Amino acid sequence: MMLTAIGLMSGTSLDGVDVALIETDGRQVRAFGPSGYRPYSEMERRMLRQALYEAVNLPQRDARPGILREAEHVVTLAHAEAVAAFTAQHRISAQEIDIVGFHGQTVLHRPERGMTVQIGDAAALAKSIHIPVMHDFRAADVAAGGQGAPFVPVYHRALAQSLEREGPIVVVNIGGVSNITYIDGTDTLIACDTGPGNALLDDHMYRILNQRFDTAGQTAAQGKVDDAWIRRALTLPFFAKRPPKSLDRNDFAALKVDGMAPADGAATLTAFTAASITRIVPLLPKVPKSWIVAGGGARNLTMLRMLRDRLYPATVEAADGLGWASDAIEAQAFGFLAARGLKGLPLSYPATTGVPIPMTGGVIARP
Ligand SMILES: Nc1ncnc2c1ncn2[C@@H]1O[C@H](COP(=O)(O)OP(=O)(O)O)[C@@H](O)[C@H]1O
Ligand SMILES: [Mg+2]
């Protein structure tokens, strides 16, 4: 049975809410609908940063002390607004949508402590938009001993099915954190977080130049990469670990480029992301032939150039060039995952999150 699903994603970049419509049976995509975006305001973003900071010491995953309660309310409202604006713009009625996949905002990701926490009130959202909402996708995986991330690989596999590229193919998503999906034929699906994405670079741009990000990679393009800094950073134990493995947004926040000129810092952090993505290659079964880059990082042309240099002779293409909606992929993925969750299909596998057996997940809140 085909379902019409809306997926909602608010990633570790804290930039805003992505919305996407998708028609799917949870195995294949029948049609892509439109996508949309509702940015967070500067005030909302500040509150989310504070929530991440305060979440470090959360005693239980459902506790919402201090600013976390207010931040959860802000996240819920922003998503409700995102859906309302999206459905109004495209003249879609609530009855036409079978399910909404609501990821929420991750404020803490500590799978080794059995904790992955996404804030956002699914029951309130369902009531507000009058559509059933599936949420809490990661909890069952973590409870069963998985990393609880990444969750997009099953969707990357569905997208790659119709792609004519020499395998193995890797889809790399450069959000706040970077994650890869390695696809070799229909059977092999391996995934993990690889290291930083845009978060360190965004934080640097914000702190030093008061810009939210390095538009198109222009600042990094003018800087000089500190190769010794990168070699040192890559000695952190995370990079030698085999997949599956996952990260918290702030796992590398202690790595500073403070002594460098602003452009050199941007160049070095951009190269660090490219280098840590490349570092995964020897940990994969075969050397990938084709790389597809998605997420906001695909708009960073310096990042793409550095990836091309490091991954040569493999090909590196931005997902947009394939007709995929780069910015909407993660939102589409959570619509797809909601459809899978409804059908009890696995969301994660031993080779994507390290969960002992293929695991379904998601919890439904009805309006
Ligand atoms: N035009 C652009 N040039 C360079 N980087 C960009 C551009 N647009 C977005 N980005 C980067 O992408 C990030 C958002 O990516 P996104 O895929 O939404 O990540 P997440 O899933 O973590 O929210 C921004 O914070 C920024 O670093
Ligand atoms: Mg985002």
Side-chain angles (χ1 to χ4, degrees):
M1 191 188 57
M2 281 292 161
L3 298 169
T4 303
I6 285 180
L8 297 171
M9 183 63 194
S10 177
T12 47
S13 295
L14 308 175
D15 57 310
V17 180
D18 293 302
V19 191
L21 185 82
I22 184 169
E23 276 178 53
T24 177
D25 60 359
R27 297 175 198 274
Q28 280 167 339
V29 181
R30 181 165 75 182
F32 299 103
S35 54
Y37 178 59
R38 191 278 192 196
Y40 288 125
S41 69
E42 204 49 57
M43 226 166 70
E44 291 169 338
R45 201 169 293 128
R46 250 201 312 275
M47 175 171 293
L48 291 177
R49 280 179 186 275
Q50 188 62 29
L52 257 72
Y53 180 74
E54 290 189 17
V56 169
N57 298 314
L58 262 190
Q60 300 144 341
R61 67 186 304 270
D62 55 356
R64 297 290 181 267
I67 202 163
L68 282 158
R69 178 155 307 281
E70 209 180 330
E72 177 155 75
H73 185 61
V74 160
V75 166
T76 309
L77 268 182
H79 284 74
E81 276 179 33
V83 173
F86 179 77
T87 50
Q89 184 189 350
H90 300 288
R91 300 180 196 290
I92 302 164
S93 71
Q95 292 74 36
E96 292 171 70
I97 308 298
D98 298 301
I99 188 82
V100 165
F102 175 36
H103 175 268
Q105 176 65 51
T106 296
V107 292
L108 183 71
H109 185 67
R110 290 280 168 234
E112 70 284 0
R113 279 204 266 141
M115 289 268 276
T116 183
V117 181
Q118 286 75 40
I119 58 172
D121 182 342
L125 179 63
K127 282 204 174 60
S128 160
I129 61 178
H130 311 290
I131 306 170
V133 172
M134 181 168 284
H135 67 113
D136 217 1
F137 290 90
R138 302 184 193 269
D141 182 89
V142 169
Q147 291 283 309
F151 261 50
V152 281
V154 283
Y155 184 62
H156 286 160
R157 177 177 61 185
L159 282 178
Q161 267 166 14
S162 56
L163 196 66
E164 286 172 10
R165 287 292 179 282
E166 197 179 350
I169 298 173
V170 173
V171 182
V172 50
N173 173 53
I174 308 182
V177 166
S178 295
N179 61 272
I180 57 134
T181 305
Y182 170 94
I183 303 153
D184 191 15
T186 46
D187 293 337
T188 313
L189 184 66
I190 295 173
C192 64
D193 287 347
T194 53
N198 304 302
L200 295 180
L201 178 61
D202 285 356
D203 292 350
H204 171 75
M205 293 299 294
Y206 189 70
R207 221 178 26 241
I208 312 288
L209 299 167
N210 200 27
Q211 293 172 27
R212 273 201 30 232
F213 52 80
D214 182 12
T215 308
Q218 283 164 354
T219 305
Q222 289 159 21
K224 191 172 169 316
V225 175
D226 184 338
D227 287 309
W229 188 96
I230 290 175
R231 266 197 304 280
R232 244 185 348 261
L234 285 178
T235 61
L236 287 170
F238 175 82
F239 297 109
K241 271 196 225 160
R242 313 195 140 271
K245 53 181 174 178
S246 71
L247 286 168
D248 185 84
R249 180 194 193 277
N250 290 334
D251 274 346
F252 298 114
L255 293 174
K256 301 274 190 236
V257 290
D258 288 353
M260 298 181 206
D264 294 349
T268 301
L269 290 173
T270 307
F272 180 32
T273 293
S276 56
I277 290 168
T278 308
R279 177 67 182 85
I280 202 68
V281 171
L283 302 172
L284 296 171
K286 290 190 232 162
V287 177
K289 294 261 173 63
S290 307
W291 291 73
I292 318 292
V293 187
R299 307 228 170 285
N300 183 324
L301 302 180
T302 306
M303 183 87 78
L304 281 180
R305 178 176 56 72
M306 289 176 171
L307 277 170
R308 279 200 184 98
D309 288 349
R310 289 173 187 267
L311 293 168
Y312 184 83
T315 59
V316 176
E317 297 168 88
D320 279 329
L322 305 171
W324 300 1
S326 185
D327 292 328
I329 289 179
E330 284 205 85
Q332 289 168 351
F334 278 90
F336 182 80
L337 288 165
R340 287 183 73 88
L342 273 184
K343 295 179 181 223
L345 294 168
L347 309 186
S348 56
Y349 295 87
T352 62
T353 64
V355 70
I357 51 166
M359 196 75 200
T360 189
V363 177
I364 298 189
R366 298 198 181 273

